[in-house]
Amino acid sequence: MKKSLLYLVFILNLGVVIYLWANGSNYLLTSGADSGRVIALGRLMGLLLEFFILLQLILIGRITFIEQQFGHDRLNLIHRWVGYGIAIFLLSHPLLLTLGHSQLSETSFITQFSNFLKNWEDVFKAFLAVFLFVGVIISSIVIVKKRLRYETWYFTHLLMYVAIALAFGHQTNTGDMANGSALYYWLTINFLVFGLILLHRWLAPFYKFFKHRFYIDKVVAETTDVFSIYLKGKNLQNYKFLPGQFANLTFLQSAMWFTHPFSFSTAPNGQFLRFSIKTSGDFTNRINNLKPNTKVILDGPLGVFTVKQAKKTKFLLLAGGIGITPIRALAEQLAIQKTDATILYGCKTETDIVFKNELTNLNIKHFFLLSQTKNQAKDNFLPGRISAEKIKLLVPDFLGREVYLCGPNNMIQGLLTDLRALNIPKNQIHYEKFNY
């Protein structure tokens, strides 16, 4: 399904929601009373609230035909901004309805709000749902999210499903979607979205698990703080993914069953899957405790950081730190295809280099740039960081190459500035930040 068709589906459904609202609230809009128009506007805010919550679920639902059109990174960005917009609908819906009804009944705002909670069907449950939604939104604010463990953030977001369930009766028992074709339409889009979420986010990973029986074969130390997890299973030659993609892994071992995203660090080979992970947090610090034969649920592949996005036939691969994992897989694919590719890999010191021997054996031109060494350049080791100057020096034909970039977020931002300064067209630059 192409992007244009997905955009059309979104616009048409938004138009249907607004039409049904205008039809259902027509008597309020044409009553001539300010209170009627305020109530009608409050109803619209409620419908838009649910509509964009459904959109949020689509954006995070790992729905293959959508994810492959936009990519994980862009969906995450859209999801974040839609979430901030939802906060406006979330607050304005109860405020406008309370204000409009208080004007209509000639009572105070507080009295009317109390009347809603005590006497109106399903309003109290919807009120509880508002608190849950507010909690989810707050946990998504960047300054708050940075202070939360991934697991805390993840389980906080699961409360969104509880909130939707609490508010569902409020949507269908009163208002513009309570009767006739409007009710059938509202039920259809709600159950369709939840059906897609159930299929892609929950059933598909379990289906793949029972089909392939993924388990840990071994855990190998690549450096002092990077470990590779080798997975085996049944009929792995039938498990399809592209180099550069990632998957969400759930290790079925005590204290390790939280789901986390990791990139494939090898190209498909039909024998094993490999994920290489840096110990950088509460969860990843325990990666080396994983035991052989531990079962693994694998949700993926995901992401569009693949050569399918490329238009040119030559490549420049830029990696920093553990960002080498998808780059390593891409490099293997390009080596097999005998493609002209160059890797610039930035690390602190030589001991921090992951896959040093593997990259050498791939027979692809590569340079290691070491930021915390003052040694003179030798062979393919150079002091310093990846920069516009280094790119011009080491890869003088960079304008004719597709650029793939992976590393820490601050490195990506810095190199994007450098790449723009080098006048590399935006459509030749590919990256995913893998933010949650």
Side-chain angles (χ1 to χ4, degrees), residues 12 21 86 98 114 168 189 207 260 268 309 354 404:
L12 287 176
W21 162 76
I86 280 175
T98 304
S114 178
F168 193 72
I189 65 169
Y207 168 75
H260 286 70
Q309 309 301 312
V354 185
Y404 283 74

Side-chain angles (χ1 to χ4, degrees), residues 208-215 232-234 295-296:
K208 291 174 184 176
F209 174 72
F210 286 110
K211 179 180 179 181
H212 295 291
R213 301 288 179 174
F214 301 111
Y215 68 91
K232 287 192 174 181
K234 294 173 56 179
K295 302 296 184 183
V296 182

Side-chain angles (χ1 to χ4, degrees), residues 7 12 14 16 41 60 94 105 109 135 154 184 192 197 235 237 253 280 283 343 364 380 401 431 436:
Y7 286 134
L12 287 176
L14 181 59
V16 170
L41 184 58
I60 63 170
S105 61
F109 185 92
Y154 178 83
Y184 292 128
L192 179 60
I197 297 298
N235 302 315
Q237 69 277 7
Q253 179 177 311
S280 58
F283 177 82
I343 303 172
I364 279 184
N380 54 345
R401 294 176 180 266
Y431 65 94
Y436 62 89

Side-chain angles (χ1 to χ4, degrees), residues 12-174:
L12 287 176
N13 278 280
L14 181 59
V16 170
V17 170
I18 293 174
Y19 169 78
L20 293 174
W21 162 76
N23 185 61
S25 292
N26 182 60
Y27 71 99
L28 293 168
L29 293 168
T30 58
S31 66
D34 289 341
S35 60
R37 287 189 284 270
V38 172
I39 292 170
L41 184 58
R43 285 183 169 189
L44 176 61
M45 294 298 102
L47 294 178
L48 292 178
L49 172 63
E50 172 64 8
F51 180 79
F52 280 96
I53 287 172
L54 293 178
L55 175 61
Q56 289 289 69
L57 295 179
I58 291 291
L59 293 173
I60 63 170
R62 303 166 193 162
I63 299 169
T64 304
F65 62 86
I66 295 177
E67 197 266 350
Q68 288 300 298
Q69 287 297 318
F70 292 92
H72 169 81
D73 200 35
R74 181 167 295 180
L75 289 179
N76 243 352
L77 181 62
I78 298 171
H79 174 74
R80 185 178 306 136
W81 285 107
V82 170
Y84 295 149
I86 280 175
I88 298 173
F89 303 136
L90 187 66
L91 296 175
S92 60
H93 172 60
L95 289 176
L96 289 170
L97 286 181
T98 304
L99 179 62
H101 280 280
S102 67
Q103 292 174 350
L104 187 64
S105 61
E106 298 182 345
T107 59
S108 70
F109 185 92
I110 298 299
T111 300
Q112 181 59 53
F113 190 74
S114 178
N115 181 40
F116 276 151
L117 295 179
K118 291 179 181 178
N119 302 316
W120 285 57
E121 187 177 8
D122 292 316
V123 169
F124 182 73
K125 288 189 290 186
F127 181 65
L128 294 178
V130 168
F131 277 98
L132 294 179
F133 282 128
V134 168
V136 172
I137 292 171
I138 290 174
S139 72
S140 298
I141 298 172
V142 174
I143 193 171
V144 176
K145 188 168 68 172
K146 286 182 177 179
R147 297 175 178 271
L148 295 177
R149 294 175 58 199
Y150 174 84
E151 293 82 7
T152 303
W153 175 89
Y154 178 83
F155 283 109
T156 298
H157 272 61
L158 290 181
L159 293 175
M160 184 170 61
Y161 296 102
V162 178
I164 292 171
L166 286 171
F168 193 72
H170 174 63
Q171 302 166 43
T172 55
N173 289 331
T174 58

Side-chain angles (χ1 to χ4, degrees), residues 394-414:
L394 301 172
V395 197
D397 62 345
F398 57 85
L399 286 175
R401 294 176 180 266
E402 297 281 335
V403 181
Y404 283 74
L405 167 62
C406 190
N409 287 342
N410 57 351
M411 172 195 163
I412 290 177
Q413 291 303 319

